Amino acid sequence: MIHDPVSLMTELAARARVAAGRLAATDTAVRREALLAAAAAIRADSEGIVAANAEDMAAGRENGLSGALLDRLMLDPGRVEAMAAGVEAVARLDDPVGQVIDRVERPNGMVLTRVRVPIGVIGIIYESRPNVTADAGALAFMSGNAAILRGGSEAIRSNRAIHAALARGLGDLADAIQLVGTTDRAAVGAMLKAEGMIDLVVPRGGKSLVARVQAEAKVPVLAHLDGINHTYIDRAADPEMARAIALNAKMRRTGVCGATETLLIDSGFADPAPILTALADAGCELRGDDAIRAIEPRAVAASDEDWDTEYLDSILSVKRVDGADAAIAHIAAHGSHHTDAIVTEDAATAERFLNAVDSAIVMWNASTQFADGGEFGLGAEIGISTGRLHARGPVALEGLTTYKWIVRGTGQTRP
């Protein structure tokens, strides 16, 4: 076994490069059948995966992981089944590889086409959630890319068990999804500096991880930043819809990146008390401005830092704002360009919000918890990109491809 992180990454990348070349030459049916076999292998080893995860959970409790992180880490038979079903869903998606984006014939007779092709070798660095091992591996594989996966040390046993099942299912294509088996943090640095060996790095985790990746990477990065997401309750919102959406957007699962972290309530919205009461009764700590605290006595005073915090916990900052323009301004000042929503029955206000808010996902009358590749019909996601280049929002198969120009001539020369 290689212990030096640079040598380890060099070996993994070399094997991945060969696997990527093989994979790019396969047709859709081959990749589809391999992933279906991988999903079956995950199901067959559900008991072993859950047992490995139980060891990670025990270690996580000993090490003081927060409730939100433990929720992300935890696997039970239902979550393992969902993981297997997610791999199957990816296998059945339309294959983007070889898709003709556009075609044009030039006046000189040359025919130009742009065709989707795999990116190549993708390094994926993630924390806590072991299901990413299956999701990200499957997405990379189906889009013709080889993946090198580096999960967090807190999920190392779970990740190894899931990867072993994937490898059994993939058979002779197993090198297309490789796991960095060491918890040595230097392996991350080696991956980030693997210029010429790895074509793209995707960080999926907290602010410190993404900051490190962006600071150290010598290869292109597809960044997923904080989910400082907002739900704005407009003065024209339906009260019951507003209550249901606000409660779901925060409390369905507080540890996911699509959870609402700040609730903005229009000063013209007649009765915010039922919304605040429902949240507080559900166990959510409310951190509000003076107007909110006057309505809900259980709310505590919000600090300046609260408006810029991704809690990933049962904590919500709440503020009253004077109209949609004030909500838009607050989101521009404090948001992370991830997911923001408006609840209103006023279509004109909704359209203004949808057009003005510069986030990867903007919603009208829906919970921000729908910020998920599976819910978007993409099968799964490798992450939600909050940048502006290449891909934005949930990144799935199409986001893991690039394109090349193919020129067909009949002997043309340039004058």
Side-chain angles (χ1 to χ4, degrees), residues 136-222:
L139 285 166
F141 187 92
M142 192 61 196
S143 54
N145 299 285
I148 301 175
L149 308 174
R150 205 288 186 180
S153 59
E154 68 281 357
I156 187 65
R157 302 168 188 84
S158 307
N159 291 335
R160 285 172 178 162
I162 295 165
H163 178 258
L166 287 171
R168 283 195 297 275
L170 297 180
D172 64 357
L173 291 172
D175 275 355
I177 303 178
Q178 298 183 74
L179 181 73
V180 180
T182 178
T183 59
D184 188 342
R185 287 175 59 86
V188 174
M191 180 182 286
L192 299 178
K193 293 175 175 63
E195 191 174 11
M197 296 185 288
I198 295 176
D199 299 298
L200 179 70
V201 168
V202 182
R204 183 167 175 174
K207 183 182 293 186
S208 61
L209 169 65
V210 176
R212 180 189 177 189
V213 169
Q214 291 181 315
E216 296 182 19
K218 302 296 184 183
V219 298
V221 175
L222 187 65

Side-chain angles (χ1 to χ4, degrees), residues 349-360:
T349 300
E351 291 301 325
R352 186 162 84 254
F353 184 93
L354 295 173
N355 290 322
V357 172
D358 180 26
S359 295

Side-chain angles (χ1 to χ4, degrees), residues 324-377:
D325 290 339
I328 292 165
H330 180 97
I331 292 168
H334 301 282
S336 59
H337 308 290
H338 190 294
T339 301
D340 297 291
I342 180 173
V343 182
T344 186
E345 297 300 297
D346 186 324
T349 300
E351 291 301 325
R352 186 162 84 254
F353 184 93
L354 295 173
N355 290 322
V357 172
D358 180 26
S359 295
I361 304 169
V362 192
M363 299 179 167
W364 175 16
N365 287 349
S367 167
T368 58
Q369 296 261 343
F370 282 106
D372 174 84
E375 295 295 331
F376 278 39

Side-chain angles (χ1 to χ4, degrees), residues 247 251 276-284 298 314:
L247 189 62
M251 298 301 290
L276 302 175
T277 298
L279 286 161
D281 286 351
C284 183
R298 287 173 288 182
S314 299

Side-chain angles (χ1 to χ4, degrees), residues 37-61:
I42 290 172
R43 271 199 191 91
D45 201 25
S46 176
E47 188 174 330
I49 292 170
V50 171
N53 180 254
E55 295 182 33
D56 284 333
M57 290 289 289
R61 292 187 189 97

Side-chain angles (χ1 to χ4, degrees), residues 300-312:
V300 300
S303 68
D304 290 341
E305 291 76 22
D306 280 314
W307 311 117
D308 301 303
T309 299
E310 182 185 31
Y311 300 110
L312 299 174

